[in-house]
Amino acid sequence: MNAPQCPSCKAPLAKMPQRKTKCKACGEFIFIKDTPRNRTKRLMTPTQAEAAERAWEDHQAKKMQREAAALYKQHLSRLTADLKKYASQGWRSVQVFGESARTCPVCRSLMGRVLPVTIPAEEILRPDCQSLDEGSYHCAPLASPAIKDGSGSVRFDRSI
Ligand SMILES: [Zn+2]
Ligand SMILES: [Zn+2]
């Protein structure tokens, strides 16, 4: 490895800094960071360090979105199978449920709705669900043929 130098003014450093330090020659802070693309910790100027932090945030956000998309696909296939099963059993309607504190506004607006069992699963697990791009939401709407009214009584809408 080359002799360490200040990334801002290129002044040689007595030793490789182990943590954030100030350059004695130019007074700039020297940061030690890596980036998602290059995991070797290296010396950075304040501007480079800021860019590295943004790159990490971006990296994390993208990772979360990929995970959310995979989860959505899983839920969608499960819900599609459920709806198909309910339809084959003769249920005509289902009610959306599964609200939690982390349910997004899109999904929240569907909670409690009674829908025909033949509806595409995407009408319940919507592609515009905000949990797909925002980690603070977590949605998993489900559908049940047991339809509850406000008073807590349950009815079933069955054709056969
Ligand atoms: Zn310097
Ligand atoms: Zn949602």
Side-chain angles (χ1 to χ4, degrees):
M1 202 183 140
N2 297 331
Q5 49 176 229
C6 167
S8 293
C9 72
K10 310 296 179 204
L13 303 169
K15 58 177 173 41
M16 186 70 180
Q18 296 305 306
R19 64 180 70 87
K20 183 178 151 189
T21 168
K22 210 169 192 172
C23 172
K24 288 196 180 74
C26 69
E28 272 291 12
F29 277 112
I30 301 169
F31 292 82
I32 303 123
K33 286 187 181 298
D34 60 354
T35 52
R37 280 161 181 266
N38 178 355
R39 307 288 172 100
T40 308
K41 298 249 185 212
R42 50 204 190 273
L43 304 182
M44 293 189 184
T45 66
T47 313
Q48 288 167 340
E50 222 174 274
E53 253 158 56
R54 273 198 308 272
W56 275 115
E57 277 164 22
D58 195 48
H59 178 77
Q60 282 308 110
K62 286 204 175 106
K63 192 174 153 205
M64 245 165 40
Q65 282 171 11
R66 275 197 307 275
E67 285 167 3
L71 206 63
Y72 172 81
K73 254 176 101 174
Q74 231 177 65
H75 285 158
L76 194 66
S77 67
R78 196 178 66 191
L79 183 62
T80 304
D82 281 352
L83 291 174
K84 223 172 129 182
K85 185 182 78 191
Y86 296 144
S88 75
Q89 289 169 343
W91 308 115
R92 275 191 301 224
S93 305
V94 289
Q95 189 173 35
V96 184
F97 73 102
E99 183 169 5
S100 81
R102 291 176 67 196
T103 302
C104 83
V106 175
C107 296
R108 196 173 291 273
S109 72
L110 289 169
M111 290 296 156
R113 290 264 299 275
V114 177
L115 300 165
V117 75
T118 50
I119 203 167
E122 287 90 344
E123 299 278 324
I124 293 169
L125 255 174
R126 297 177 47 127
D128 59 344
C129 165
Q130 286 166 284
S131 75
L132 289 169
D133 2 75
E134 255 201 73
S136 52
Y137 293 121
H138 177 82
C139 304
L142 293 163
S144 166
I147 297 160
K148 293 176 189 156
D149 66 20
S151 69
S153 64
V154 179
R155 69 182 173 87
F156 294 91
D157 181 14
R158 189 166 197 167
S159 61
I160 47 174

